[in-house]
Amino acid sequence: MLVVLVIAGLAVIACVVMVSLGHGGEMAEFPPDAPPLELPAAGQMTPADLIALQLPIGLVGYSTQAVDETLHRVSVALGERDTRIAVLEQRVTELSYARLQAREETKQAETRQPETKQAETAETKRAEDSEREQEVPSAAAREGWDGDRADAEEAW
């Protein structure tokens, strides 16, 4: 009888070793009892989606897989939102800086403009005078032109 008990004990130990090494087969996987979460994609998630969310309850509380999936989607949505906000803030900063520079350039141009206008007016007068002188090339021609003008005025 003792021999039978020893053989039975060795058989039980051999079976436990075989199962622990993975030779005893695998446990069957059962599909989850809870329906899949009806959450939109991470980039399209809104606060209303989170308010309406009802996580499935398991034996010991909420389903771990459902909570993990929800938290992952929410974290991706928050990350995308934060990135978009940072990009938009950068654009606003660049645009406001460019606007300030444009204002400063306009103010500088306005302060320089009176000086520039005076210089331009003097140059314009000089150019007009030189054009008038170029129209009548010599003093004799100038006198003839003045004489013709006087004759025209008398005839009038």
Side-chain angles (χ1 to χ4, degrees):
M1 175 106 145
L2 185 58
V3 174
V4 174
L5 285 175
V6 172
I7 293 176
L10 288 175
V12 169
I13 292 174
C15 288
V16 169
V17 170
M18 294 289 282
V19 169
S20 66
L21 292 175
H23 297 291
E26 296 179 2
M27 292 179 45
E29 277 192 41
F30 296 103
D33 293 341
L37 293 176
E38 295 182 14
L39 284 175
Q44 300 172 350
M45 190 175 294
T46 63
D49 295 328
L50 289 176
I51 290 171
L53 178 67
Q54 292 182 352
L55 294 171
I57 297 176
L59 182 62
V60 198
Y62 289 109
S63 169
T64 306
Q65 181 183 1
V67 171
D68 288 346
E69 181 181 347
T70 303
L71 290 176
H72 177 71
R73 286 190 187 182
V74 169
S75 67
V76 169
L78 287 175
E80 288 175 358
R81 186 198 67 179
D82 290 345
T83 303
R84 184 164 188 254
I85 288 172
V87 168
L88 292 174
E89 284 177 347
Q90 180 66 28
R91 286 184 186 169
V92 167
T93 304
E94 290 171 356
L95 289 174
S96 61
Y97 180 72
R99 193 173 197 184
L100 287 174
Q101 280 186 333
R103 283 184 185 172
E104 289 177 6
E105 289 174 1
T106 305
K107 287 180 183 178
Q108 290 176 355
E110 288 175 357
T111 56
R112 293 180 189 166
Q113 193 171 14
E115 298 170 1
T116 309
K117 281 186 178 180
Q118 290 174 356
E120 288 177 1
T121 306
E123 287 180 23
T124 307
K125 287 182 182 178
R126 287 183 201 138
E128 289 175 0
D129 290 342
S130 65
E131 285 178 10
R132 285 184 190 157
E133 289 177 5
Q134 289 175 358
E135 288 175 4
V136 182
S138 65
R142 216 180 280 143
E143 287 175 12
W145 184 73
D146 289 338
D148 291 339
R149 187 171 174 194
D151 292 338
E153 286 177 4
E154 287 176 11
W156 178 238

